[in-house]
Amino acid sequence: MSVALELNSTHDPQRRSWVVSANTVGGDFPIQNLPFAVFRRRARPDTFRGGVAIGDQIVDLAALTQAAIFSGEAGAAARAGAQSTLNALMQLGPSGAHALRQALSDALSEGSAMQSVLQPCLVPQLDAEYTLPARIGDYTDFFASIHHATAVGRLFRPDNPLLPNYQWVPIGYHGRSSSIGVSGQQFHRPRGQRLPPGQTLPVVGPSARVDYELELGIFVSTGNDLGDPIPIHEAEQHIFGMCILNDWSARDLQAWEYQPLGPFLAKNFATTISPWIITLEALAPFRVPFTRRAEDPEPLDYLSSPANRAGGAIDIRIEAWLQTALMRERGADAQRLSYSSFRHSYWTVAQLLTHHTVNGCNLQPGDLLGTGTQSGPMPAEAGSLLELSVGGAHPVQVGAEENRTFLQDGDRVILKAWCERPGTVRIGFGEAAGQMLPARAG
Ligand code: MN
């Protein structure tokens, strides 16, 4: 079994923090979570540095390092995490992140003698702004939900929805890291080339079919050398943690450009992730068996292992919410569009990482893998408007006065994720929110 599946004292549901807000039932950041982000104070901007969420506070790893509160491996990990990106901490692998997590969990526990030295290292989340948690060298997006693949395939190719390779190969494409932004990202409606319905000549102009995709992101910790594949039983040792990811998509551009090489300009105008990365260690209590339907083939040997079968999947609840400009004007709350779980994914995080390196491709600390849109088995669990509106044929009711087939200017999409299970303490991912502005003049 890998470290990621083992439970230890940091998962103890009885453990409470002297940071009182961390003990709020249903909060995102109890002491069992301890996710990482890169932040700075908004009021007097200083340099960005790593931090760890606890309740409504952030443990400032730069302050922690300056005060030399931890020693040994935890101290080294805190120093690595105090930089303006988490790449150095990621490079230490799961043992570095674990040492720091264990030390912080103990120091933040109720009754800890460390309270007085740690207290000055806390920054309220309300006073913080975030940036990307890592320097993302490469970004790959997968297509790991068979429910999404089938529903979208049916719209693009009604007679041939699921291509025969799907059940064997974790399908992916190389995305672009330059346009990845952290929650709060705004982008202009993309322009591009599309073939209007029923026409024979393409046009260029603003996309009329901008959509969101409800996904999770996977951050790579230690990498592998070129030519040196990562076997599945070692895959999770190379994963730092997971975040929420919105793979904004222009469906009309996509439909015209995607054959034969896959997504290109339909996807790389913006991608929004949550600031917080939840470590695989924090996700350990929410593991579930990886199973396949009886009619589906078992994965090839290199994508299979006893640990992956026993607990390769993770029950991460995921939701998409929409707030339109009109809703903001009226002071109305965002509306939930869909709800599902990452447990329905056709491939696990270990399988995605192992497949990515089977040809010898080298991954590096801070690389980001997207899981692909995570749609569940039911139509209401769809992770995109393309699916919820059945290709734009059935508008989705939004609030009392509006509906949507695709996104309108000013729409703000908020993706949320969390884990809960009886006998454990709920942990949350925070959110990944992004907003589309009108197209720039052509
Ligand atoms: Mn995607």
Side-chain angles (χ1 to χ4, degrees), residues 29 33-39 49-54 58-61 64 70 74 77-82 85-87 89-90 93-102 104 130-134 182 219 240-243 273-282 428-429:
F29 306 122
N33 194 350
L34 302 179
F36 291 88
V38 170
F39 80 102
R49 73 279 306 280
V52 175
I54 178 76
I58 303 170
V59 180
D60 180 343
L61 293 180
L64 192 79
F70 295 147
R79 271 196 304 284
T85 69
L86 297 177
N87 294 68
L89 174 63
M90 291 169 166
S95 69
H98 166 73
L100 182 52
R101 173 184 167 85
Q102 184 73 60
L104 279 171
Y130 302 92
T131 189
L132 289 177
V182 78
F219 273 99
F240 182 76
M242 299 181 68
C243 64
I273 63 172
S274 59
W276 296 106
I277 308 176
I278 316 300
T279 61
L280 273 197
E281 187 174 0
F429 283 62

Side-chain angles (χ1 to χ4, degrees), residues 121-202:
C121 301
L122 297 182
V123 175
Q125 286 168 27
L126 274 176
D127 296 345
E129 61 183 4
Y130 302 92
T131 189
L132 289 177
R135 188 181 58 256
I136 302 168
D138 279 298
Y139 162 51
T140 302
D141 195 22
F142 283 96
F143 194 47
S145 162
I146 196 170
H147 307 293
H148 172 70
T150 306
V152 171
R154 196 176 288 129
L155 294 168
F156 282 52
R157 297 176 306 275
D159 49 340
N160 188 22
L162 195 66
L163 297 173
N165 58 3
Y166 189 85
Q167 290 166 311
W168 299 98
V169 187
I171 301 291
Y173 65 94
H174 283 124
R176 193 163 173 86
S177 51
S178 65
S179 49
I180 301 173
V182 78
S183 185
Q185 185 179 29
Q186 295 182 321
F187 62 91
H188 291 275
R189 179 185 289 274
R191 302 170 64 85
Q193 195 181 127
R194 63 201 159 93
L195 187 66
Q199 312 249 322
T200 51
L201 293 175

Side-chain angles (χ1 to χ4, degrees), residues 139 141-143 148 173 213 215 245 247 249 267 371-373:
Y139 162 51
D141 195 22
F142 283 96
F143 194 47
H148 172 70
Y173 65 94
E213 288 195 333
E215 306 195 14
L245 186 150
D247 176 26
S249 300
K267 300 273 192 177
T371 60
T373 309

Side-chain angles (χ1 to χ4, degrees), residues 342-386:
F342 181 55
R343 70 182 301 159
H344 300 301
S345 180
Y346 201 73
W347 302 104
T348 66
V349 292
Q351 288 170 325
L352 297 179
L353 189 122
T354 289
H355 181 69
H356 204 310
T357 66
V358 67
N359 65 344
C361 174
N362 52 327
L363 300 178
Q364 303 185 85
D367 280 0
L368 179 64
L369 316 182
T371 60
T373 309
Q374 289 298 317
S375 300
M378 307 301 291
E381 296 172 332
S384 68
L385 275 173
L386 178 70

Side-chain angles (χ1 to χ4, degrees), residues 8-12 15-18 31 34 70 74 98-115 118:
N8 54 48
S9 61
T10 68
H11 302 101
D12 180 358
R15 194 166 267 214
R16 292 164 60 88
S17 177
W18 50 261
I31 194 167
L34 302 179
F70 295 147
H98 166 73
L100 182 52
R101 173 184 167 85
Q102 184 73 60
L104 279 171
S105 178
D106 293 341
L108 290 164
S109 281
E110 254 175 8
S112 166
M114 308 280 280
Q115 177 171 351
L118 216 54

